[in-house]
Amino acid sequence: MMHDPRIAPTLRREFSDWRLWLARAIVIAAAAAAGLTVVGFTWLTERALGAFFLLRETWWWAPLVWTPACTGAIVWLTCRHFPGAAGSGIPQVIATFDTSVDEANRGHFVSIKLTLAKIALTAWGLLAGLSLGREGPSVQIAAGVMHSARRWLPRGSAVTGHGLLVAGGAAGIAAAFNTPLGGIMFAIEELSRTPEQRSSGLIISGIVLAGLVAVSAYGNGTYFGVIYVPTVGVSLLLPGLLVALCSGVTGGLFARLLIISLSESSADGLSRWRLTRPVSFGVACGLAVAVIGTATHGATFGSGYLHTRGLLEGNESMPGVYMLCKFVATWLTAWSGVPAGIFAPSLAIGAALGNDVAQLTAHPHAATLIALGMAGFLAATTQAPLTSFIIVMEMVDGHPMVLSLMACALIASGISRALSRPLYATLAQIQLRRLPPSQPQDDAPQKDQL
């Protein structure tokens, strides 16, 4: 066998560069820390929501007082001390990639301080029974942990602050959903459209590691069990197409409503109230969420995971009005200004939509349409169809449904694009308005678009 003289120098360069190995060790350690942080955050939010439901079981009327009071307090703390923690958290991470944001100003959107605030305030929101998810906040939380590691990177490292933010945000999705593939696709589709070639493999390794940390903590099970799908045939075509169309329209309108509501340029009376008296507006939104939750016997409180799982397993039936009530409760929660994600509520809304179509068409396998509704509504809301169908596929172990989930997500996302601008990219431009006045306002022309 002939000896290649190029191999030895290559190996020497690879193993003698201590800076390279130090950077790799720092990224891997930061990814593990980000995964553990999200696991701890998940544990805290589950206990918080459980405590709320225990309170409601003890006194059915308690949410009518507790929920608005907590919402007002959360909004006050957020506005006064942690404005960067408001909302989902995904727009903040996307905003850090804007060319107008330098290293000195990234702390307005991502930092350890915001990570701790996001953990506490999001858990408090679930303790209040608000209709929110923890996955969007997990993106900002994990990004803050990963980005903090930049100070220990050696000079000249191929890993940049941008790469750490991409890895952190995607690691948050991977650990929150227990879906490493979904995290990688989220990084490609939402966070980084121009991945750095020299460090992309290391970044993906960090994302996978964060997902594996979640798997180690919670096991390799799926959130919603396993769907046993019969042979996909012509009988699924019309109901599946109806789910895709309905989820595309409703998801697109939901995204449009969120953009209009959260844009500070709206001139209606409610928007002026939100801008001038955010605490009282938050209290009013919290009261409305409490009324809806009480009227639906608690179905719209919280993230909606339990009801979604019940629908998929066939152990729970929901009235047709549930989808509308969950839609409104989630919108009001986001509009109130509290730190809140929309991933989990979107899955719940999509599941309810799929269940409604199954009942309308008398489809014999409702779980299939429910899964399609989850992927379709999430894709329409986020306009990230590949991330959406992969997340749903991994969460329900629905590998036999790969093609149908992908088709539904792509159709729904296409319809949504005709109704609304991209949700997270548009909200990221709103986030950029919080930059100090001395910051170059490269985003000024985009303000008029909102």
Side-chain angles (χ1 to χ4, degrees), residues 69-262:
C70 288
T71 306
I74 295 170
V75 171
W76 180 83
L77 277 173
T78 303
C79 293
R80 188 173 182 85
H81 299 290
F82 311 106
S88 164
I90 296 176
Q92 286 91 321
V93 176
I94 294 176
T96 62
F97 303 138
D98 193 271
T99 55
S100 65
V101 180
D102 55 23
E103 189 66 34
N105 282 303
R106 281 181 176 170
H108 292 284
F109 308 111
V110 172
S111 68
I112 290 295
K113 175 184 175 182
L114 289 177
T115 290
L116 296 175
K118 198 79 168 186
I119 291 173
L121 295 175
T122 304
W124 192 359
L126 286 171
L127 182 63
L130 294 171
S131 180
L132 59 88
R134 54 178 171 75
E135 294 76 20
S138 294
V139 171
Q140 190 179 16
I141 289 167
V145 174
M146 286 288 287
H147 189 247
S148 67
R150 74 194 185 283
R151 68 191 67 180
W152 294 295
L153 290 172
R155 290 181 180 273
S157 171
V159 180
T160 64
H162 177 278
L164 289 173
L165 285 168
V166 171
I173 288 291
F177 279 120
N178 199 3
T179 57
L181 289 179
I184 294 171
M185 186 54 64
F186 180 76
I188 296 172
E189 197 170 28
E190 283 286 349
L191 299 182
S192 179
R193 302 183 188 278
T194 56
E196 301 163 10
Q197 293 182 357
R198 291 185 63 191
S199 58
S200 59
L202 182 59
I203 295 304
I204 290 176
S205 299
I207 297 168
V208 173
L209 177 60
L212 292 177
V213 168
V215 171
S216 299
Y218 291 104
N220 198 28
T222 56
Y223 267 97
F224 300 127
V226 179
I227 293 181
Y228 297 97
V229 184
T231 303
V232 177
V234 180
S235 62
L236 181 63
L237 181 60
L238 290 180
L241 183 60
L242 182 59
V243 170
L245 294 175
C246 291
S247 59
V249 172
T250 54
L253 292 176
F254 184 59
R256 185 181 182 90
L257 183 60
L258 287 174
I259 291 172
I260 294 173
S261 301
L262 299 176

